[in-house]
Every structure is written in C-alpha cells, then in structure tokens.
Amino acid sequence: MDLVLHSLEKTDFLSRSQIQRLLNIPNVRNMNRILQNMSKYLNSTRLHENIYYLNKKGHDYIGSSKKQASVKQLEHKLMRNDMYMYYDFPETWQTEHKIQWKDRNRKGHTLISDAFFYQDKSYFFVEVDHKQSMSKNMEKIDLYSHLFPVLEKEYGVDCALLFYTTTEIRKQRLMKYCEEKGVVCGVFTKEDMQ
C-alpha cells in the first residue's frame, strides 16, 4: 500500500493498469481488492479506466505536504507516467523540471521539461506530446539543441531528449527535426510502451 501511495505522491495520478504494473499483480480481481482496501486514501476519476490520486487522508497518511493533484492535463500526466514506468521508475525522476542557462552571447534561456532523470552519466529530458502543436514541439527542440552542448561541456554528461507522442506520423516528424538539429533523441508512441 505504501508503495502505491508514495508513487501517487510522485506522479500525481496512476491508472488502474499502471498501479497493477507497478505492483506486478497480473490478476485484475486481486488488484481491485487492493484498491478497495486503499479507498479511504484515494480519490478516483474515470477516463478510459479508473484513475487514482491521493485525497487529504492519503497525503496525511504518508506525511506529504504536496498540494492535492488537479485533474487538469490528466491524459498528459498519465502519458508521462508511462515513460516513468518504461524507464523502470528512475530514482532521480523529477517532473516539471526547470533549467536556466545563458548562451555564448550571454542571452538567458529557460526550459521546463515534462520530466527529467539522470542515469549512467546521462541526462534525459522527457517531453510528452499529447495535444501540443508541432510548432511548439519544434521550438522546444530548438532550445534543447542549444542546451545540450552547454550541459555536455559543463558537466561532462551525455544528453538525450525523449519524446512520447500519439501517432507514428508525429513520431517521424519529431525524429526528423531532432536529427536536423543534432539533438540525440528517442521518440515513442503508445505501441512502443507495450
């Protein structure tokens, strides 16, 4: 139970199938029983399946001072969680990671990635493309093309951009643009996560 509650604190939301995967419980009936036993600590809403998040009692039980999650951008956050699980729950995972830097001309830049984690001397920046315009995605890729050389030089790390998008066509466009800009990337769709 504590694993689920702490995971909900970290991710804001988890679908029933994501919790089932987190706990490695193949039997749906057992999963539903566990969720029923935890119900006093959880709120839920319905999307394609039940989506769970901590209520006030849940926050109090684990000693969390984090504000209760808003259901805004629910699908976006669930997609971000797919990436968190796909990369095996990195301990260094941070959501809404803000980074600021100055380029060679001393011009300041700010970038907020959907998630960030550090693993094997590499920085990974995660972007979820749920309903984002392609022009906004390209603007972000442009920023990453300026940021990555700064980080690689300053910290001696490798950097990669990980996109999670909705269609194969968008995947191909994002990969092509990253390649044009010299940004190391991985682009995934829901099919890649299964």
Side-chain angles (χ1 to χ4, degrees):
M1 178 173 87
D2 285 358
L3 174 62
V4 173
L5 297 178
H6 285 286
S7 294
L8 282 166
E9 179 192 30
K10 191 169 197 163
T11 62
D12 292 334
F13 299 95
L14 289 169
S15 66
R16 189 207 43 79
S17 60
Q18 287 175 333
I19 295 171
Q20 193 170 346
R21 187 169 156 209
L22 174 71
L23 297 176
N24 196 21
I25 297 175
N27 185 301
V28 174
R29 184 176 289 168
N30 287 345
M31 187 70 249
N32 289 339
R33 190 171 346 114
I34 289 167
L35 288 167
Q36 182 62 37
N37 290 340
M38 295 175 57
S39 63
K40 68 181 173 185
Y41 302 113
L42 304 176
N43 285 339
S44 68
T45 189
R46 184 92 181 150
L47 195 57
H48 309 290
E49 61 181 319
N50 283 342
I51 310 300
Y52 296 90
Y53 55 104
L54 293 177
N55 62 20
K56 182 171 179 359
K57 253 187 184 174
H59 281 281
D60 291 346
Y61 178 79
I62 61 172
S64 171
S65 59
K66 192 173 176 183
K67 200 170 89 173
Q68 191 165 331
S70 163
V71 293
K72 274 178 55 178
Q73 295 187 315
L74 184 59
E75 289 178 276
H76 178 91
K77 290 176 180 181
L78 290 172
M79 286 176 70
R80 182 177 64 198
N81 293 347
D82 283 342
M83 291 293 282
Y84 176 58
M85 293 178 163
Y86 184 79
Y87 281 93
D88 203 24
F89 314 99
E91 287 184 28
T92 57
W93 183 268
Q94 298 171 37
T95 59
E96 305 299 321
H97 180 74
K98 182 177 182 179
I99 190 163
Q100 297 176 306
W101 76 99
K102 290 187 177 171
D103 62 21
R104 288 187 294 245
N105 301 325
R106 311 288 294 152
K107 182 181 177 198
H109 300 278
T110 300
L111 180 63
I112 300 173
S113 61
D114 290 321
F116 165 85
F117 64 99
Y118 177 81
Q119 197 171 45
D120 300 324
K121 297 183 182 176
S122 296
Y123 285 174
F124 295 92
F125 294 84
V126 177
E127 292 293 340
V128 174
D129 172 38
H130 178 245
K131 290 187 177 176
Q132 184 96 297
S133 72
M134 194 54 75
S135 63
K136 285 278 187 202
N137 288 331
M138 290 178 175
E139 284 175 25
K140 276 207 156 174
I141 292 168
D142 289 340
L143 282 171
Y144 283 112
S145 74
H146 297 292
L147 171 63
F148 286 1
V150 172
L151 293 175
E152 289 166 354
K153 181 179 178 187
E154 192 168 326
Y155 298 102
V157 295
D158 294 321
C159 295
L161 176 58
L162 305 171
F163 257 103
Y164 187 22
T165 190
T166 54
T167 67
E168 189 63 32
I169 292 168
R170 292 180 76 81
K171 175 181 179 176
Q172 295 305 320
R173 286 186 68 192
L174 290 166
M175 287 173 61
K176 184 175 187 278
Y177 196 72
C178 284
E179 188 177 315
E180 288 172 12
K181 291 296 181 173
V183 173
V184 174
C185 76
V187 185
F188 305 87
T189 63
K190 194 77 167 169
E191 289 72 34
D192 299 317
M193 297 289 147
Q194 297 170 5

